[in-house]
Amino acid sequence: MKPSAYRIVVEGELGSSRYSVAFADMRLAAGEGTTEIVGMVEDDAALQGLLDAVTALGLSLVSVTPLGD
C-alpha cells in the first residue's frame, strides 16, 4: 500500500490536547457532534494503529474513508 489520505470520523467533538497527541500528524476538525481526523496514512499497519488509538481512547467510530488522489 502506498501512502494515502484518509478521513476517520468519530462521535463527539474532540478538543483536548490529549487527542491531538494521539493523532499527531493528522488534522482534527470538530463540529455538529462529530470529529473528522484527516491526514496521510503510510500503510495498513499505520491505519490499524490509528483505529487502535480510537478504540483505546474509548471513542465511537462513525466511518473510515480513503480520500481520492
Side-chain angles (χ1 to χ4, degrees), residues 3-25:
S4 300
Y6 276 84
R7 176 186 300 118
I8 300 169
V9 180
V10 296
E11 288 184 3
E13 295 185 23
L14 310 182
S16 165
S17 62
R18 168 184 174 192
Y19 300 109
S20 296
V21 170
F23 305 107
D25 295 328

Side-chain angles (χ1 to χ4, degrees), residues 1 8 40-53:
M1 173 180 165
I8 300 169
M40 295 300 291
V41 177
E42 289 298 315
D43 55 25
D44 288 340
L47 179 58
Q48 186 60 54
L50 289 169
L51 297 177
D52 289 346

Side-chain angles (χ1 to χ4, degrees), residues 28-60:
L28 277 65
E32 299 186 21
T34 63
T35 298
E36 290 186 354
I37 304 164
V38 180
M40 295 300 291
V41 177
E42 289 298 315
D43 55 25
D44 288 340
L47 179 58
Q48 186 60 54
L50 289 169
L51 297 177
D52 289 346
V54 167
T55 301
L57 291 167
L59 303 173
S60 295

